[in-house]
Amino acid sequence: MVFGGDRPIPDTRAIFLGATVLAVPLLVAAALLRPSGHHRRVAGSAAGGMGDLLRQPGLVRALTVSCVVLAAVDITLVYLPALGAERGIAAGSIGVLLGVRAVASMASRLLLGRLVAAVGRRALLIGTVALSAGGLGLLLPPLPFWAMAVVVTVAGLGLGAGQPLTMSFLAEVAPPGLRGRAMSLRLTGNRLGQVLIPSAAGVLAAGAGAAGVLACTAAGLTGAAVAATGLHRSPSADVNPD
């Protein structure tokens, strides 16, 4: 948004320079972080094998949904600008759309706890993932900028809720001694999805373009919503959105 200007393809040198300047203090802060003794004790207290963990009902489904939703977030960050370049939309306008999507994703978490109490976590997860699929699908035809902003807002609202909801499902289905390992497995699956799914999208983009990639992402989210129907809610578990 700041460095894009009014051209469909911005000056990438300014973008990389700005990203580098922002990354340096983050790297310094990360290098100063140290795990507490409590965390080290908890990490060493988990019992049970990975096979036992994967056999927990609903765990693989929750991992799949989490992986697809996170990959969809990354794909929109890359292919929404690509879509703008294909359609001659100014890079600054695409930056505004990305900012709107990010704000919508954050806003979706503000009332997440109340929504879970009202409609149930499973129903909310299915609904938000389906909402994000519909939002990305509506980007396929050419739209005026205001309509794109509305559609991107809808997609952002859905994408923002997926990660905390799947995290709470994993915390519920994993045995108490294996919850930390389940979260580590979730992170591993997410990172694997962030590598494999966007890579496959890049191959698809060579022939189908950015719109084709977004269409396949919407289809993947639809499949994730269907997979979420197999998750079972425990009435005693509540969500604590992050």
Side-chain angles (χ1 to χ4, degrees):
M1 187 190 312
V2 176
F3 302 108
D6 56 359
R7 294 184 297 174
I9 300 179
D11 181 7
T12 56
R13 292 174 298 179
I15 295 176
F16 282 120
L17 179 61
T20 301
V21 171
L22 292 174
V24 169
L26 294 177
L27 287 173
V28 172
L32 297 177
L33 293 176
R34 293 290 183 272
S36 67
H38 171 72
H39 288 163
R40 287 192 293 268
R41 289 192 299 271
V42 170
S45 63
M50 192 63 69
D52 294 334
L53 185 60
L54 291 174
R55 283 192 291 270
Q56 297 297 319
L59 189 136
V60 173
R61 287 178 181 266
L63 288 174
T64 301
V65 175
S66 177
C67 175
V68 172
V69 171
L70 187 60
V73 172
D74 290 343
I75 287 173
T76 57
L77 290 176
V78 174
Y79 285 97
L80 190 58
L83 184 69
E86 290 179 359
R87 296 180 178 176
I89 303 173
S93 298
I94 294 297
V96 171
L97 292 178
L98 291 174
V100 168
R101 187 207 62 78
V103 171
S105 293
M106 290 187 291
S108 69
R109 302 185 180 190
L110 293 177
L111 299 177
L112 195 55
R114 294 183 180 180
L115 289 173
V116 168
V119 303
R121 182 170 43 193
R122 175 174 168 270
L124 184 61
L125 180 60
I126 296 169
T128 54
V129 175
L131 188 69
S132 60
L136 291 184
L138 289 174
L139 284 173
L140 302 183
L143 297 173
F145 180 77
W146 66 267
M148 290 185 70
V150 172
V151 170
V152 167
T153 300
V154 170
L157 289 171
L159 292 172
Q163 290 301 306
L165 287 172
T166 53
M167 182 184 297
S168 65
F169 265 112
L170 287 174
E172 175 187 356
V173 301
L178 291 176
R179 285 175 180 169
R181 189 170 296 179
M183 294 305 160
S184 298
L185 186 61
R186 171 182 173 271
L187 289 175
T188 302
N190 284 349
R191 297 302 172 260
L192 187 62
Q194 284 180 302
V195 173
L196 296 181
I197 297 177
S199 297
V203 174
L204 178 65
V213 172
L214 293 176
C216 288
T217 304
L221 287 168
T222 302
V226 173
T229 61
L231 295 173
H232 300 288
R233 179 181 183 275
S234 172
S236 62
D238 298 317
V239 71
N240 184 19
D242 56 357

